[in-house]
């Protein structure tokens, strides 16, 4: 691999589903550890994390929709959701797209299973209460971040053991529009590019970029909430959460490679990673003897972290960037290790990982 690969529509659907599952692991791991460590206060930290992340995602979606020239209303919020996986064509018959009202009340019926990778993961692990906390907190704040007058109600939810997820998104008849909804952009931010709707290749690429930024935001706002609520324990706990997440993702990669009949090699792990490395990061892989060097010339995660990080990015670098690939690789094979030698979060012009194989 010497450059980013253009994803087909089917490849994008598959990688988006795997990214969503990986994010589901992060929520579940963080919830369990914070509850174990801090009880009710830990659960309140999860709620703060989700609320901040939801408002931010709603704001980012508003920026994108304004760049596309769309009115900011509930219809457009749902038709142009920030995650293309939310309303994929493959599942469009499972969405009730018929119930409109003059005040832009939108009722959605999602008929699962099979349409929500997070819910599928959480049900596998009996993660009911912790799962519906995300469903409730996130959707309310996403709608509010998208339009400050929006209201969201969720009378039924899979994670409350209902048969469907049933959402109501509402705006008043006289909802505000225009300049009152404009938001400042981050330095270097280009919402029009991140929200490109055509031609098809740019639209597919944009959907993957948005999903990468969503995950980066999830990692960042977890850090923000943990360090504010538990400053004395934050380094240990944030590192513990991310370490467990990396191991769970590594085990998922083992299962994925096995199901696909793919040999577990460093090259194949990068090729089939649960983030869109081969599609967005302009990877260059060189293997010599027992070392595979992976150079990533782009990184939507680093771009997004740098938008959000106002002062000190050391925790993101220490506990996410530095450890992610190493712990995932060591989970896939105990004789592998990965060293991050260059990183955009340290000011380098690229990210570079050296994967070493021993004892093979």
């Amino acid at each position: 691999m010497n450059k980013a690969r253009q994803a087909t529509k089917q490849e994008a659907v598959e990688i988006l589903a795997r990214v969503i599952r990986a994010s589901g692991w992060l929520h579940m791991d963080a919830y369990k550890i914070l509850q174990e460590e801090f009880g009710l206060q830990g659960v309140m930290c999860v709620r703060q994390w989700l609320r901040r992340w939801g408002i931010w995602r709603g704001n980012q979606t508003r920026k994108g929709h304004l760049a596309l020239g769309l009115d900011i209303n509930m219809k457009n919020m749902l038709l142009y959701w920030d995650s293309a996986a939310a309303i994929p064509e493959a599942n469009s018959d499972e969405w009730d797209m018929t119930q409109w009202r003059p005040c832009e009340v939108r009722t959605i019926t999602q008929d699962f299973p099979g349409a929500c990778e997070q819910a599928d993961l959480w049900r596998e692990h009996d993660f009911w209460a912790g799962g519906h906390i995300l469903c409730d907190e996130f959707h309310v704040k996403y709608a509010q971040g998208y339009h400050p007058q929006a209201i969201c109600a969720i009378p039924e939810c899979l994670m409350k053991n209902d048969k469907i997820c049933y959402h109501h998104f509402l705006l008043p008849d006289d909802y505000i529009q225009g300049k009152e909804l404009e938001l400042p952009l981050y330095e270097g931010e280009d919402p029009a590019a991140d929200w490109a709707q055509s031609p098809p290749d740019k639209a597919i690429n944009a959907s993957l970029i948005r999903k990468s930024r969503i995950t980066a935001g999830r990692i960042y706002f977890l850090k923000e909430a943990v360090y504010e609520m538990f400053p004395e324990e934050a380094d240990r706990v944030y590192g513990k959460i991310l370490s467990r997440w990396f191991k769970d993702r590594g085990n998922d990669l083992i299962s994925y490679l096995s199901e696909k009949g793919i040999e577990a090699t460093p090259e194949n792990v990068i090729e089939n990673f649960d983030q869109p490395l081969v599609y967005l990061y302009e990877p260059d892989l060189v293997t010599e003897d027992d070392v595979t060097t992976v150079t990533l010339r782009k990184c939507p995660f680093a771009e997004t972290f740098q938008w959000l990080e106002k002062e000190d990015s050391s925790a993101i670098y220490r506990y996410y960037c530095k450890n992610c690939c190493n712990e995932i690789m060591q989970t896939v094979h105990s004789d592998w290790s990965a060293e991050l030698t260059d990183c955009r979060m340290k000011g380098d012009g690229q990210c570079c990982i050296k994967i070493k194989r021993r004892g093979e």
Side-chain angles (χ1 to χ4, degrees):
M1 288 175 284
N2 295 310
K3 61 180 180 179
R5 182 187 308 159
Q6 177 58 51
T8 66
K9 189 172 184 179
Q10 184 54 45
E11 286 172 336
V13 168
E14 182 172 342
I15 189 61
L16 284 166
R18 296 180 60 219
V19 171
I20 292 169
R21 181 176 172 89
S23 293
W25 276 114
L26 177 58
H27 174 73
M28 184 161 60
D29 290 337
Y31 181 97
K32 288 181 177 181
I33 288 173
L34 288 166
Q35 185 183 49
E36 289 165 5
E37 294 273 353
F38 305 111
L40 180 59
Q41 284 298 107
V43 176
M44 296 305 292
C45 182
V46 171
R47 290 183 180 274
Q48 285 297 319
W49 166 34
L50 296 172
R51 290 172 182 177
R52 297 176 189 198
W53 178 58
I55 288 286
W56 176 76
R57 272 184 69 178
N59 282 173
Q60 292 302 104
T61 302
R62 190 198 312 179
K63 292 179 188 179
H65 289 192
L66 289 171
L68 293 175
L70 298 171
D71 285 343
I72 305 303
N73 56 43
M74 298 296 94
K75 175 181 177 180
N76 286 333
M77 184 185 79
L78 294 158
L79 291 178
Y80 300 91
W81 193 262
D82 66 347
S83 169
I87 314 180
E89 283 191 17
N91 298 317
S92 61
D93 59 341
E94 298 178 9
W95 289 71
D96 181 351
M97 303 288 284
T98 61
Q99 300 183 50
W100 299 100
R101 298 182 186 178
C103 62
E104 295 292 342
V105 177
R106 181 73 168 90
T107 302
I108 307 173
T109 304
Q110 295 171 287
D111 190 3
F112 296 109
C116 180
E117 296 293 332
Q118 287 193 126
D120 292 345
L121 172 69
W122 296 337
R123 287 183 293 180
E124 288 173 21
H125 295 271
D126 290 326
F127 185 63
W128 299 95
H132 88 69
I133 282 177
L134 181 141
C135 301
D136 287 348
E137 295 283 8
F138 164 71
H139 288 96
V140 169
K141 289 300 183 182
Y142 179 79
Q144 188 179 66
Y146 180 73
H147 196 297
Q149 293 173 289
I151 296 171
C152 171
I154 309 174
E156 295 181 75
C157 179
L158 278 180
M159 300 317 300
K160 297 176 184 176
N161 206 27
D162 295 321
K163 293 182 179 180
I164 61 171
C165 284
Y166 196 47
H167 296 64
H168 296 256
F169 293 101
L170 302 90
L171 276 175
D173 290 317
D174 58 348
Y175 61 90
I176 61 174
Q177 198 56 247
K179 289 190 176 295
E180 294 177 86
L181 294 175
E182 291 180 0
L183 292 165
L185 302 182
Y186 298 112
E187 184 178 354
E189 183 180 10
D190 185 357
D194 282 0
W195 284 85
Q197 300 295 299
S198 63
D201 59 337
K202 286 191 176 180
I204 290 171
N205 196 60
S207 72
L208 295 175
I209 290 173
R210 293 197 303 274
K211 198 63 186 176
S212 293
R213 298 201 193 286
I214 288 167
T215 304
R218 205 166 191 165
I219 295 164
Y220 171 80
F221 286 105
L222 170 63
K223 188 218 74 167
E224 187 177 83
V226 168
Y227 277 77
E228 285 187 16
M229 290 192 69
F230 310 112
E232 295 183 358
E233 298 288 339
D235 279 337
R236 178 182 64 82
V237 171
Y238 188 59
K240 182 178 179 180
I241 290 169
L242 292 184
S243 180
R244 185 178 295 181
W245 184 41
F246 302 148
K247 289 179 173 62
D248 285 332
R249 289 170 61 192
N251 285 318
D252 257 10
L253 271 167
I254 293 171
S255 298
Y256 180 81
L257 294 174
S258 177
E259 289 169 7
K260 296 290 186 179
I262 299 170
E263 182 184 1
T265 65
E267 295 86 351
N268 286 339
V269 170
I270 297 299
E271 173 83 18
N272 295 278
F273 208 66
D274 62 0
Q275 301 295 322
L277 297 185
V278 298
Y279 303 113
L280 298 181
Y281 289 65
E282 295 189 359
D284 184 10
L285 271 68
V286 176
T287 299
E288 295 180 354
D289 298 325
D290 62 346
V291 178
T292 297
T293 301
V294 185
T295 303
L296 304 174
R297 306 194 185 285
K298 289 188 177 181
C299 182
F301 272 45
E303 290 174 359
T304 309
F305 290 148
Q306 288 163 353
W307 290 349
L308 292 166
E309 194 66 74
K310 300 173 182 61
E311 295 178 2
D312 181 12
S313 62
S314 60
I316 293 285
Y317 170 73
R318 290 199 314 274
Y319 299 114
Y320 178 77
C321 302
K322 193 173 180 181
N323 293 335
C324 177
C325 193
N326 184 46
E327 294 202 30
I328 288 175
M329 287 292 175
Q330 288 192 331
T331 302
V332 173
H333 199 299
S334 60
D335 285 331
W336 296 353
S337 64
E339 179 187 4
L340 182 67
T341 60
D342 297 79
C343 182
R344 287 177 177 272
M345 294 302 291
K346 292 195 306 178
D348 297 324
Q350 61 190 17
C351 296
C352 186
I353 305 159
K354 291 187 179 295
I355 304 167
K356 298 181 181 180
R357 288 166 285 185
R358 304 179 305 277
E360 295 186 79

